[in-house]
Amino acid sequence: MINNPAIILVDVQNDFFTGPLKIKRVINIVEPLQRLVVAARKNDVPVIYSIDAHYPQDVEVVRKWGSHAIKGTQGAQVIDDLKPEDGKDYIVEKRTYSGFYETGLDPLLRSLYKGEGVKTVVLGGLHTNMCIRHTSADAFFRGYQIVIAKDGVEAFTVEDHEQGLKYLEYVYNAKVMMTNEIIQEIVK
Ligand code: ZN
């Protein structure tokens, strides 16, 4: 049972699909996520984009990954196939792995459903063992239920992805579900 859900799409941006941090397999998550956001919008389930908007001096850029998803650049744009719907979807920029870290995500979630708040975050995007994991940690700490779209998340390697899913299930009690199953639950 998925209660007061919000779909959160993490780092679905050009630089992760076609730019410096691209990997081939990520293309597989696009179609399931398209279906998921279409169903969500149709059923008044909020769709939130939790996306990198880096400054060049951000610790993640300088110390770990090099330049990617720099605020205002083409690389930081959401990929065309998953474009946010103007005036309906929400975009919450972040500057490191977790979508909650020093962003407005938590107050946004609490304000939805007429102030009742989101209870379940449904996560899709990149990467299973990094931004999805850190966002799940912060969601767990704040009391949200966590659902992971199994065919809607990916990582740099198959091992990273599979171990990432196991970790999410084990540590945060995340429910790993196929996009189709999630859609069935959110359709009213
Ligand atoms: Zn980043």
Side-chain angles (χ1 to χ4, degrees):
M1 186 49 206
I2 298 182
N3 203 7
N4 287 18
I7 311 298
I8 303 183
L9 298 190
V10 179
D11 290 356
V12 286
Q13 294 160 276
N14 289 325
D15 276 351
F16 299 97
F17 284 80
T18 51
L21 297 181
K22 68 164 182 271
I23 40 161
K24 270 205 180 126
R25 273 194 330 281
V26 294
I27 203 69
N28 298 328
I29 71 173
V30 174
E31 192 274 331
L33 292 180
Q34 281 175 328
R35 279 189 282 112
L36 183 60
V37 293
V38 167
R41 288 173 189 139
K42 234 183 247 166
N43 289 278
D44 296 320
V45 169
V47 176
I48 300 167
Y49 290 77
S50 170
I51 54 172
D52 267 359
H54 284 303
Y55 296 142
Q57 68 270 32
D58 282 355
V59 68
E60 204 191 89
V61 171
V62 174
R63 277 205 226 151
K64 178 67 194 170
W65 299 104
S67 185
H68 69 280
I70 302 294
K71 188 176 167 71
T73 65
Q74 180 61 24
Q77 292 287 313
V78 170
I79 59 167
D80 282 345
D81 288 336
L82 288 170
K83 262 207 184 330
E85 193 171 310
D86 280 343
K88 184 151 181 150
D89 297 342
Y90 299 91
I91 296 176
V92 181
E93 296 183 341
K94 65 187 179 73
R95 289 179 55 208
T96 191
Y97 303 138
S98 170
F100 287 89
Y101 185 72
E102 296 189 353
T103 72
L105 182 56
D106 193 46
L108 169 62
L109 294 173
R110 292 188 191 285
S111 72
L112 295 170
Y113 290 95
K114 298 193 169 92
E116 219 178 82
V118 166
K119 306 292 180 211
T120 307
V121 294
V122 178
L123 299 178
L126 304 170
H127 297 89
T128 319
N129 61 327
M130 290 186 277
C131 290
I132 299 288
R133 170 168 162 174
H134 287 279
T135 301
S136 295
D138 275 333
F140 181 82
F141 302 151
R142 288 166 177 76
Y144 296 101
Q145 304 281 346
I146 299 159
V147 170
I148 306 292
K150 189 177 185 184
D151 49 344
V153 293
E154 258 300 355
F156 284 116
T157 68
V158 178
E159 295 74 42
D160 284 350
H161 173 66
E162 281 168 4
Q163 284 166 11
L165 286 179
K166 272 194 197 133
Y167 188 94
L168 295 170
E169 281 183 305
Y170 184 62
V171 180
Y172 309 127
N173 208 23
K175 211 167 165 201
V176 177
M177 297 169 70
M178 293 299 280
T179 303
N180 273 341
E181 301 174 89
I182 298 169
I183 291 170
Q184 275 175 25
E185 292 231 8
I186 64 174
V187 170
K188 284 175 196 155

